[in-house]
Amino acid sequence: MVARGEIARFWSLESLHMVSSDGGTESAALVDDNGSEEDYSYEDLCQANPRYLQPGGEQLAINELISDGSVVCAEALWDHVTMDDQELGFKAGDVIQVLEASNKDWWWGRNEDKEAWFPASFVRLRVNQEEPSENSSSTQGEEQEEDAGKNRHKHSESKHQMRTNVIQEIMNTERVYIKHLKDICEGYIRQCRKHTGMFTVAQLATIFGNIEDIYKFQRKFLKDLEKQYNKEEPHLSEIGSCFLQHQEGFAIYSEYCNNHPGACAELSNLMKQGRYRHFFEACRLLQQMIDIAIDGFLLTPVQKICKYPLQLAELLKYTTQEHSDYSNIKAAYEAMKNVACLINERKRRLESIDKIARWQVSIVGWEGLDILDRSSELIHSGELTRITKHGKSQQRTFFLFDHQLVSCKKDLLRRDVLYYRGRTDMDGVELVDLEDGRDKDWNLNVRNAFKLVSKTTDEVHLFCAKKQEDKARWLQACGDERRRVQEDREMGMEISENQKKLAMLNAQKAGHGKSKESVGRQLNWPWPWVKSNLLDFHHT
């Protein structure tokens, strides 16, 4: 923690006067796009739901609940894949019983039959910890029917209360989230822009991404959400339409989530210098923000977009089919789940393009456009025999990416070195499966063969696999490549030119001054990551 004396020295009187144009402090009230102030204060939010105020954590008072004998459950926001026996693995949406949460970063919990540590930032607490009993007990004899009626009424009231709990959680967390976004924009970004000697425009763009756009969007979203909130009877609130109305707007989170790893790296470099640590802490205190580091605040949008599907799934569970909002909540859940899936897929693609860029750098004699100019994912790879019309065979290693098939030749002595030999545009060809025997067009006997035939010219590529199962995998991969391209087009899956250029630049820097062989060894050429990508591919 930075000492208050150091903060006071850092913020000179002149610096403090820069906070507002008139020399005074700005109002903490949040003004919407129509100029009206929101009708709740930060203190109101603290009293309404204090455990949601801390970005990246909801563990306050959990141990107290556990010690009282309550069962505390959390739902996974993301998959947690681990090979460590000391850690708990799970998939997004899994329910984990929290057994101990004294550490803010790692909790101890149970999933199925295993107990182990898991990262607290990967989960959210369930709003309704105890499910209502579906089969209530009743007495024998004449009182049985009367008791059953009472139990049904009690169960109905419980359902209403459960839905009220979820609705109030959505509203409260949304209000608090707006407060955090406001603090980031006014407490950090505004002050950073005033200190041009410390931050360049590019640095601020890297650290904060498009969070100001997210702030503006979320204010409009909350405004519409408040209109649909029934304060007197929250369980009757109809908020599903708000999510459907704004579902396209949530796509802006994709850019922020993709940018977040770079933001963390840039921030980490700056934090190595004391003056930046003091500066950000001074910003936090001046804005009267809660005691969380800036990286914790910058994580909140990433976690927020992943929480929506889980919140809506829980709301749907306590919304009867007779409820007027049922169909909209169901559609909103699917819509927000798709938004989260698209963001996760884009994140995975960004991780993939770094590997692809390093792969290209390792290829000897690469010609033409970079592989990332059109492709962002490796789909399949392996050896095939390419046959020319003259009957000449060529043993090649092929890499099937979205939109293109790249051909390479292995070095005769160094089998870990590959030479570039060309590529085929998969958008411009059709796949033709061939039966074993003599091919009429080429007048050749073939086994385990298939063709790629140009749609516009007479060009034909004939390939033979060593085994029938190898051919089957290639046929499946080619079909999947076409489906991936179509899905990307429908989802609007695109990698920006800047991200592609950055990936290639980083790969070239990593390989600078090294031979192609050493680059290949550095990458553990290339089969480990090829196998890893293909494993992911087969799982999907």
Side-chain angles (χ1 to χ4, degrees), residues 9-21:
R9 286 193 294 273
F10 183 87
W11 286 100
S12 64
L13 184 62
E14 180 182 1
S15 299
L16 290 174
H17 285 172
M18 290 174 65
V19 176
S20 64
S21 59

PDB file of all heavy atoms in Angstrom, residues 9-21:
ATOM      1  N   ARG A   9       2.371  14.099  -1.645  1.00  0.00           N
ATOM      2  CA  ARG A   9       3.482  14.736  -2.359  1.00  0.00           C
ATOM      3  C   ARG A   9       3.299  14.605  -3.861  1.00  0.00           C
ATOM      4  O   ARG A   9       3.642  15.498  -4.628  1.00  0.00           O
ATOM      5  CB  ARG A   9       4.804  14.103  -1.923  1.00  0.00           C
ATOM      6  CG  ARG A   9       5.257  14.529  -0.541  1.00  0.00           C
ATOM      7  CD  ARG A   9       6.704  14.134  -0.300  1.00  0.00           C
ATOM      8  NE  ARG A   9       6.878  12.708  -0.271  1.00  0.00           N
ATOM      9  CZ  ARG A   9       6.736  11.960   0.829  1.00  0.00           C
ATOM     10  NH1 ARG A   9       6.382  12.531   1.966  1.00  0.00           N
ATOM     11  NH2 ARG A   9       6.928  10.660   0.788  1.00  0.00           N
ATOM     12  N   PHE A  10       2.740  13.458  -4.294  1.00  0.00           N
ATOM     13  CA  PHE A  10       2.578  13.257  -5.740  1.00  0.00           C
ATOM     14  C   PHE A  10       1.543  14.201  -6.322  1.00  0.00           C
ATOM     15  O   PHE A  10       1.730  14.805  -7.361  1.00  0.00           O
ATOM     16  CB  PHE A  10       2.163  11.807  -6.029  1.00  0.00           C
ATOM     17  CG  PHE A  10       2.057  11.527  -7.495  1.00  0.00           C
ATOM     18  CD1 PHE A  10       3.154  11.127  -8.221  1.00  0.00           C
ATOM     19  CD2 PHE A  10       0.854  11.701  -8.161  1.00  0.00           C
ATOM     20  CE1 PHE A  10       3.055  10.884  -9.572  1.00  0.00           C
ATOM     21  CE2 PHE A  10       0.750  11.453  -9.512  1.00  0.00           C
ATOM     22  CZ  PHE A  10       1.852  11.042 -10.224  1.00  0.00           C
ATOM     23  N   TRP A  11       0.400  14.329  -5.604  1.00  0.00           N
ATOM     24  CA  TRP A  11      -0.654  15.213  -6.095  1.00  0.00           C
ATOM     25  C   TRP A  11      -0.391  16.620  -5.548  1.00  0.00           C
ATOM     26  O   TRP A  11      -0.745  16.949  -4.430  1.00  0.00           O
ATOM     27  CB  TRP A  11      -2.022  14.728  -5.625  1.00  0.00           C
ATOM     28  CG  TRP A  11      -2.485  13.532  -6.351  1.00  0.00           C
ATOM     29  CD1 TRP A  11      -2.433  12.246  -5.928  1.00  0.00           C
ATOM     30  CD2 TRP A  11      -3.067  13.496  -7.643  1.00  0.00           C
ATOM     31  NE1 TRP A  11      -2.938  11.410  -6.877  1.00  0.00           N
ATOM     32  CE2 TRP A  11      -3.333  12.145  -7.937  1.00  0.00           C
ATOM     33  CE3 TRP A  11      -3.377  14.472  -8.599  1.00  0.00           C
ATOM     34  CZ2 TRP A  11      -3.902  11.744  -9.139  1.00  0.00           C
ATOM     35  CZ3 TRP A  11      -3.940  14.063  -9.785  1.00  0.00           C
ATOM     36  CH2 TRP A  11      -4.192  12.723 -10.043  1.00  0.00           C
ATOM     37  N   SER A  12       0.244  17.432  -6.339  1.00  0.00           N
ATOM     38  CA  SER A  12       0.488  18.826  -5.947  1.00  0.00           C
ATOM     39  C   SER A  12      -0.828  19.591  -5.971  1.00  0.00           C
ATOM     40  O   SER A  12      -1.837  19.123  -6.475  1.00  0.00           O
ATOM     41  CB  SER A  12       1.456  19.485  -6.935  1.00  0.00           C
ATOM     42  OG  SER A  12       0.871  19.539  -8.223  1.00  0.00           O
ATOM     43  N   LEU A  13      -0.837  20.766  -5.414  1.00  0.00           N
ATOM     44  CA  LEU A  13      -2.045  21.590  -5.404  1.00  0.00           C
ATOM     45  C   LEU A  13      -2.527  21.845  -6.822  1.00  0.00           C
ATOM     46  O   LEU A  13      -3.713  21.811  -7.114  1.00  0.00           O
ATOM     47  CB  LEU A  13      -1.759  22.917  -4.685  1.00  0.00           C
ATOM     48  CG  LEU A  13      -2.952  23.856  -4.503  1.00  0.00           C
ATOM     49  CD1 LEU A  13      -4.016  23.174  -3.645  1.00  0.00           C
ATOM     50  CD2 LEU A  13      -2.504  25.161  -3.848  1.00  0.00           C
ATOM     51  N   GLU A  14      -1.563  22.042  -7.731  1.00  0.00           N
ATOM     52  CA  GLU A  14      -1.925  22.288  -9.131  1.00  0.00           C
ATOM     53  C   GLU A  14      -2.615  21.074  -9.732  1.00  0.00           C
ATOM     54  O   GLU A  14      -3.598  21.200 -10.466  1.00  0.00           O
ATOM     55  CB  GLU A  14      -0.669  22.632  -9.936  1.00  0.00           C
ATOM     56  CG  GLU A  14      -0.945  22.909 -11.408  1.00  0.00           C
ATOM     57  CD  GLU A  14       0.337  23.198 -12.172  1.00  0.00           C
ATOM     58  OE1 GLU A  14       1.416  23.157 -11.549  1.00  0.00           O
ATOM     59  OE2 GLU A  14       0.240  23.448 -13.383  1.00  0.00           O
ATOM     60  N   SER A  15      -2.094  19.873  -9.392  1.00  0.00           N
ATOM     61  CA  SER A  15      -2.688  18.653  -9.921  1.00  0.00           C
ATOM     62  C   SER A  15      -4.110  18.484  -9.437  1.00  0.00           C
ATOM     63  O   SER A  15      -5.002  18.089 -10.195  1.00  0.00           O
ATOM     64  CB  SER A  15      -1.844  17.437  -9.504  1.00  0.00           C
ATOM     65  OG  SER A  15      -0.542  17.550 -10.016  1.00  0.00           O
ATOM     66  N   LEU A  16      -4.332  18.777  -8.166  1.00  0.00           N
ATOM     67  CA  LEU A  16      -5.671  18.620  -7.624  1.00  0.00           C
ATOM     68  C   LEU A  16      -6.640  19.604  -8.253  1.00  0.00           C
ATOM     69  O   LEU A  16      -7.806  19.295  -8.453  1.00  0.00           O
ATOM     70  CB  LEU A  16      -5.641  18.815  -6.099  1.00  0.00           C
ATOM     71  CG  LEU A  16      -4.935  17.703  -5.309  1.00  0.00           C
ATOM     72  CD1 LEU A  16      -4.843  18.092  -3.841  1.00  0.00           C
ATOM     73  CD2 LEU A  16      -5.677  16.391  -5.456  1.00  0.00           C
ATOM     74  N   HIS A  17      -6.146  20.818  -8.576  1.00  0.00           N
ATOM     75  CA  HIS A  17      -7.026  21.809  -9.208  1.00  0.00           C
ATOM     76  C   HIS A  17      -7.399  21.416 -10.630  1.00  0.00           C
ATOM     77  O   HIS A  17      -8.354  21.940 -11.181  1.00  0.00           O
ATOM     78  CB  HIS A  17      -6.345  23.181  -9.206  1.00  0.00           C
ATOM     79  CG  HIS A  17      -6.352  23.813  -7.852  1.00  0.00           C
ATOM     80  ND1 HIS A  17      -5.658  24.973  -7.587  1.00  0.00           N
ATOM     81  CD2 HIS A  17      -6.962  23.463  -6.686  1.00  0.00           C
ATOM     82  CE1 HIS A  17      -5.834  25.317  -6.314  1.00  0.00           C
ATOM     83  NE2 HIS A  17      -6.615  24.407  -5.752  1.00  0.00           N
ATOM     84  N   MET A  18      -6.625  20.475 -11.219  1.00  0.00           N
ATOM     85  CA  MET A  18      -6.937  20.056 -12.580  1.00  0.00           C
ATOM     86  C   MET A  18      -8.146  19.139 -12.640  1.00  0.00           C
ATOM     87  O   MET A  18      -8.661  18.843 -13.707  1.00  0.00           O
ATOM     88  CB  MET A  18      -5.735  19.298 -13.191  1.00  0.00           C
ATOM     89  CG  MET A  18      -4.551  20.184 -13.490  1.00  0.00           C
ATOM     90  SD  MET A  18      -3.124  19.221 -14.022  1.00  0.00           S
ATOM     91  CE  MET A  18      -3.745  18.553 -15.561  1.00  0.00           C
ATOM     92  N   VAL A  19      -8.628  18.708 -11.479  1.00  0.00           N
ATOM     93  CA  VAL A  19      -9.741  17.764 -11.466  1.00  0.00           C
ATOM     94  C   VAL A  19     -10.977  18.353 -12.129  1.00  0.00           C
ATOM     95  O   VAL A  19     -11.727  17.683 -12.803  1.00  0.00           O
ATOM     96  CB  VAL A  19     -10.055  17.316 -10.021  1.00  0.00           C
ATOM     97  CG1 VAL A  19     -11.269  16.424  -9.994  1.00  0.00           C
ATOM     98  CG2 VAL A  19      -8.837  16.599  -9.451  1.00  0.00           C
ATOM     99  N   SER A  20     -11.206  19.648 -11.948  1.00  0.00           N
ATOM    100  CA  SER A  20     -12.338  20.284 -12.631  1.00  0.00           C
ATOM    101  C   SER A  20     -11.907  21.634 -13.159  1.00  0.00           C
ATOM    102  O   SER A  20     -10.959  22.242 -12.691  1.00  0.00           O
ATOM    103  CB  SER A  20     -13.524  20.433 -11.664  1.00  0.00           C
ATOM    104  OG  SER A  20     -13.186  21.305 -10.607  1.00  0.00           O
ATOM    105  N   SER A  21     -12.627  22.097 -14.138  1.00  0.00           N
ATOM    106  CA  SER A  21     -12.250  23.341 -14.807  1.00  0.00           C
ATOM    107  C   SER A  21     -12.384  24.554 -13.895  1.00  0.00           C
ATOM    108  O   SER A  21     -11.692  25.550 -14.081  1.00  0.00           O
ATOM    109  CB  SER A  21     -13.106  23.532 -16.061  1.00  0.00           C
ATOM    110  OG  SER A  21     -14.480  23.563 -15.716  1.00  0.00           O
TER     111      SER A  21
END
